[in-house]
Amino acid sequence: MRNTLLFILLLLLFSCKKISEESIRIAEADDMTKEMNSFSQEIQKKYDNDSLIYPEEKHFKSLRQVTFGGDNAEAYWSFDDKQLVFQSNFEGWGVGCDQMFLMDADETFKDKQPPMVSTGKGRTTCAYFMPDNKHIVYASTHLKDEECPEVPLRNNGKYVWPVYDSFDIFVADLEGNITAQLTDEPGYDAEATVSPKGDKIVFTSDRSGDLELYTMNLDGSGVKQITDELGYDGGAFFSPDGSKLIFRSSRPKTDSEIKEYKDLLAKGLVQPTEMELYICNADGSDLRQLTNLGNANWAPFFHPSGEKILFSSNFEAERGFPFNLYLIDIDGKNLERVTHGKTFDAFPVFSNDGKHLIFSSNRNNGGTRDTNLFIAEWQD
């Protein structure tokens, strides 16, 4: 298409010059050339941008690829929407496992590397901006071991996630200096996110013997347990007004399911292949199941209206893939498919002003396993 456009533009330009050769000065022709080149660049930019969007993806006005290699995920906006923090294991950036990186909202990283804002030691997960836009909160294993921990992907042939007991939650400035440690309980403390009200942090911990949700103040004080039913409760986010929480959960019911869950947890593992979404008030009251779709429903995030949830699911897949993004009302009605990929779309996060969405996807990765970040202009 690029060659066709260029040929048409050159043909038009040649014709214009031939017709007006005797009456238009060379300087005017040069101006026209500049304008036509600019027009060509605008058309090509629009073509490149739109080619990332599948025809059915009506909520995306535009789509821009941010990263170009490795696994990049869990990107979160600063409170003023000017920056984002995300995790990556891209070997080209000199890391052996997930570390935290900082970016401006308009940056891309095809030919450059973003600054690292974690220590580069151990493994990190789930960074989130603090309300001052000058600090982040994230979990890291570096106090126990400065090397990357082993990543088990299978247990008895089944896909699993590790929940390292060495994860604790820290606060760091944007130069990567740790300024506070918020948790020091034995066991897993991670998956911290901050309320848009700027007053609370929600996180997942197994300090009770099970993986439950907790909230705390920004300085780590005032810890309160939010959930107390058997199963993995994690990946929680506050609603825009801070009044509710949305999260993913596996809730084993049968004796065999309960035994399998407990046996895996004793090994520091969870099996994420059967999860549904739950919603509750920020204090844990009025807890209810939001989805009942089957398979893995996870990575939920509130729509800016506070009345819908955007999440990732493979409930329509027969063999585990693809994962796509879906919208659902907070009363569980009006399920709508948002993305139409053939592999993996997940970790959707709206900007605070509701104008943009960042998410992770396998699209446009040249057939590799790379998971990259994409920013869409959102339209309802």
Side-chain angles (χ1 to χ4, degrees):
M1 179 169 181
R2 177 179 293 143
N3 290 335
T4 302
L5 284 170
L6 191 55
F7 173 78
I8 293 171
L9 290 167
L10 287 173
L11 181 60
L12 286 171
L13 182 58
F14 176 77
S15 300
C16 289
K17 288 181 73 175
K18 183 177 182 180
I19 293 170
S20 57
E21 196 170 43
E22 297 179 358
S23 59
I24 299 177
R25 293 178 299 133
I26 301 250
E28 291 176 322
D30 289 342
D31 288 342
M32 184 179 291
T33 302
K34 292 177 182 177
E35 289 178 7
M36 297 295 275
N37 287 339
S38 177
F39 179 62
S40 174
Q41 290 171 4
E42 288 180 8
I43 291 177
Q44 188 60 47
K45 182 178 180 181
K46 185 178 189 304
Y47 172 74
D48 290 341
N49 177 63
D50 290 348
S51 69
L52 297 174
I53 302 174
Y54 300 123
E56 306 90 341
E57 295 176 340
K58 63 181 182 180
H59 287 291
F60 296 166
K61 183 179 179 181
S62 68
L63 188 62
R64 173 170 60 88
Q65 187 168 346
V66 176
T67 61
F68 294 83
D71 293 320
N72 306 274
E74 302 213 44
Y76 301 112
W77 303 83
S78 58
F79 275 63
D80 60 9
D81 288 334
K82 292 181 179 180
Q83 293 181 294
L84 297 106
V85 62
F86 66 97
Q87 64 190 50
S88 178
N89 66 0
F90 185 32
E91 292 182 356
W93 294 344
V95 297
C97 56
D98 287 333
Q99 295 294 330
M100 296 302 163
F101 294 87
L102 182 70
M103 61 172 282
D104 291 337
D106 60 354
E107 282 189 288
T108 58
F109 298 100
K110 192 169 187 177
D111 301 310
K112 62 178 181 178
Q113 177 177 333
M116 186 189 301
V117 288
S118 54
T119 63
K121 303 173 183 178
R123 179 177 178 151
T124 65
T125 190
C126 305
Y128 213 88
F129 268 91
M130 297 292 266
D132 65 0
N133 298 312
K134 297 178 180 179
H135 293 81
I136 57 171
V137 58
Y138 69 93
S140 176
T141 65
H142 71 275
L143 288 186
K144 181 176 181 179
D145 193 336
E146 294 187 357
E147 300 300 317
C148 293
E150 181 183 356
V151 184
L153 295 178
R154 297 279 174 180
N155 184 77
N156 295 327
K158 294 183 178 181
Y159 177 62
V160 291
W161 283 350
V163 284
Y164 301 112
D165 61 7
S166 51
F167 267 132
D168 272 305
I169 299 173
F170 302 86
V171 176
D173 62 26
L174 300 188
E175 283 72 49
N177 303 303
I178 290 178
T179 60
Q181 181 175 346
L182 300 186
T183 65
D184 59 3
E185 294 282 333
Y188 180 81
D189 291 311
E191 303 176 38
T193 65
V194 183
S195 170
K197 290 175 61 178
D199 61 340
K200 295 288 183 181
I201 293 172
V202 63
F203 65 103
T204 294
S205 176
D206 64 356
R207 62 186 64 191
S208 71
D210 191 21
L211 289 162
E212 307 287 4
L213 295 183
Y214 293 78
T215 59
M216 61 181 169
N217 297 326
L218 299 186
D219 63 359
S221 65
V223 175
K224 178 181 178 180
Q225 186 170 340
I226 300 299
T227 59
D228 60 5
E229 294 184 35
L230 185 68
Y232 167 40
D233 298 334
F237 295 91
F238 288 92
S239 59
D241 65 0
S243 66
K244 294 181 177 64
L245 290 167
I246 183 71
F247 61 96
R248 62 179 178 239
S249 181
S250 64
R251 293 289 169 85
K253 302 297 183 184
T254 67
D255 289 345
S256 61
E257 288 173 345
I258 292 172
K259 182 179 186 306
E260 182 178 34
Y261 172 76
K262 289 183 174 180
D263 287 348
L264 283 173
L265 187 58
K267 299 176 182 178
L269 303 170
V270 293
Q271 187 176 333
T273 51
E274 295 290 336
M275 292 190 293
E276 299 290 347
L277 303 184
Y278 287 74
I279 192 170
C280 65
N281 292 331
D283 62 2
S285 63
D286 194 24
L287 175 67
R288 55 190 172 84
Q289 186 171 338
L290 180 63
T291 63
N292 190 23
L293 299 172
N295 288 353
N297 304 277
W298 62 300
F301 200 86
F302 275 92
H303 180 272
S305 68
E307 299 300 319
K308 295 176 180 290
I309 303 297
L310 185 60
F311 66 99
S312 180
S313 177
N314 66 344
F315 81 94
E316 293 184 298
E318 295 182 359
R319 302 181 64 182
F321 280 85
F323 280 88
N324 276 290
L325 302 184
Y326 297 82
L327 273 173
I328 193 170
D329 292 350
I330 59 173
D331 62 3
K333 299 178 181 179
N334 298 317
L335 181 68
E336 176 191 358
R337 185 168 170 177
V338 173
T339 62
H340 292 262
K342 301 299 183 183
T343 50
F344 180 82
D345 292 324
F347 303 110
V349 180
F350 283 101
S351 58
N352 295 280
D353 63 11
K355 295 180 179 180
H356 294 88
L357 177 80
I358 192 165
F359 66 101
S360 296
S361 178
N362 289 152
R363 67 183 67 196
N364 199 42
N365 65 2
T368 68
R369 295 185 178 182
D370 290 345
T371 303
N372 288 300
L373 297 176
F374 293 79
I375 295 180
E377 283 185 275
W378 181 266
Q379 53 189 8
D380 283 315

